[in-house]
Amino acid sequence: LFKDTDAIHDLYPNVLRIQRSVTYSQARAAFGFVDSDSIGKVAFSAVQAAPAFSSSFPRLFPNHPDLPCLVPCAIDQDPYFRITRDAAPKLGRRKPALLHSKFIPALQGEEGGGKMSGSEGATAIFLSDTPKQLASKVNKHAFSGGQATLEEHRRLGGDPSIDVSF
């Protein structure tokens, strides 16, 4: 795991190459940019794409600038990596392979926002969370489709149509 801000000195050469290889027209078609969108929003797509190339990590892969890359992502990230796959041949690199997954549902259920989001730190589950933090988040925020009290749940049962059991 890394932060773009910590790794930008290694990522930046590929960010610039990607920016040169993708036209605004391509980016607008993929992301739906409008005239009022900030330049940062437009430029970010190249920052998101750069880690898909091993040459962005010369310290980790000093003699392997063209290793294949598998990108596990949810469908909302697909436009970034479609752009990345289009840019790869122009950069002389392999196209990354994508592994699409379902959204991890929000702990609060569908009414709680639909998908889990890292921007909601109190209810998102992070790889760095301790077992104690995980238990606290699940016990406090998880929505199971159950009833308001244990007694009601035993009497009425749960609603499997809205149960977030996975």
Side-chain angles (χ1 to χ4, degrees):
L1 296 175
F2 65 92
K3 286 189 210 174
D4 288 344
T5 53
D6 293 340
I8 198 67
H9 57 280
D10 288 334
L11 293 171
Y12 201 61
N14 275 342
V15 169
L16 294 176
R17 289 181 193 105
I18 294 163
Q19 287 174 338
R20 280 193 305 264
S21 70
V22 178
T23 67
Y24 178 71
S25 180
Q26 289 172 303
R28 187 180 61 230
F31 299 104
F33 296 138
V34 296
D35 290 344
S36 61
D37 284 330
S38 74
I39 196 163
K41 187 175 179 181
V42 176
F44 179 72
S45 58
V47 176
Q48 181 86 349
F53 301 114
S54 61
S55 58
S56 294
F57 303 101
R59 296 173 214 206
L60 291 175
F61 310 112
N63 301 315
H64 306 286
D66 198 25
L67 291 173
C69 179
L70 175 63
V71 179
C73 63
I75 197 67
D76 65 328
Q77 299 297 303
D78 184 67
Y80 292 102
F81 296 106
R82 278 190 286 124
I83 291 287
T84 307
R85 289 177 56 79
D86 288 347
K90 297 174 192 173
L91 303 175
R93 299 290 180 225
R94 295 178 188 204
K95 292 181 177 187
L98 303 181
L99 179 63
H100 288 113
S101 62
K102 291 177 70 172
F103 286 122
I104 296 174
L107 290 176
Q108 308 91 313
E110 290 296 319
E111 288 79 31
K115 69 173 188 160
M116 189 174 292
S117 173
S119 63
E120 297 293 331
T123 60
I125 294 175
F126 299 102
L127 294 174
S128 58
D129 282 349
T130 65
K132 185 177 178 180
Q133 289 171 312
L134 289 172
S136 174
K137 288 178 182 183
V138 169
N139 290 338
K140 186 173 182 178
H141 300 288
F143 178 77
S144 69
Q147 302 300 327
T149 66
L150 181 60
E151 294 78 28
E152 284 183 27
H153 186 75
R154 285 184 176 149
R155 188 169 38 88
L156 302 171
D159 183 350
S161 69
I162 55 173
D163 188 6
V164 181
S165 59
F166 58 94

